[in-house]
Amino acid sequence: MNWIILIIAGFFEVGFTTCLKLSNNFTNVKWSIGFLISITLSFILLNKATQTLPMGTAYAVWTGIGAVGTVIIGITYFNEPATFWRIFFICTLIGSIAGLKFFASH
């Protein structure tokens, strides 16, 4: 169950980084509130997940989900470049996250 909580926390990390960009330096109230809600929920859920998961593994997975998700949002919605090397290293990051989860119990 805590892996699911950690994944949701990672999604909220993607949410707060996206809201941060859309907040226009915190001048857009709606996106600023979205940022505050997302970052709060992300940290609360990360804290909950680290009660049973190894802290280093949980943090690495949380930041990895956030990084991968934020890059995908950037490419999809903000027209950021999708170069070969960018996609290659995102794929290696995904592989690393999967490896951390797989070997966390070994």
Side-chain angles (χ1 to χ4, degrees):
M1 182 65 180
N2 279 322
W3 281 105
I4 294 169
I5 290 170
L6 182 60
I7 291 167
I8 294 168
F11 288 153
F12 276 111
E13 185 181 4
V14 175
F16 80 70
T17 57
T18 304
C19 289
L20 181 63
K21 178 161 181 75
L22 294 170
S23 75
N24 194 26
N25 202 27
F26 297 110
T27 59
N28 183 309
V29 175
K30 177 179 81 170
W31 290 110
S32 298
I33 291 170
F35 168 81
L36 291 172
I37 292 168
S38 294
I39 199 167
T40 301
L41 290 172
S42 184
F43 278 103
I44 288 170
L45 294 170
L46 175 62
N47 181 59
K48 174 70 176 152
T50 59
Q51 292 174 1
T52 58
L53 299 175
M55 180 180 62
T57 299
Y59 182 73
V61 170
W62 177 74
T63 57
I65 291 168
V68 169
T70 301
V71 168
I72 290 169
I73 293 293
I75 291 169
T76 305
Y77 294 103
F78 298 112
N79 298 317
E80 294 179 359
T83 63
F84 169 80
W85 288 112
R86 201 162 183 215
I87 300 302
F88 173 79
F89 286 115
I90 288 298
C91 289
T92 61
L93 185 55
I94 292 168
S96 297
I97 294 166
L100 283 170
K101 186 201 179 308
F102 179 75
F103 290 106
S105 61
H106 293 90

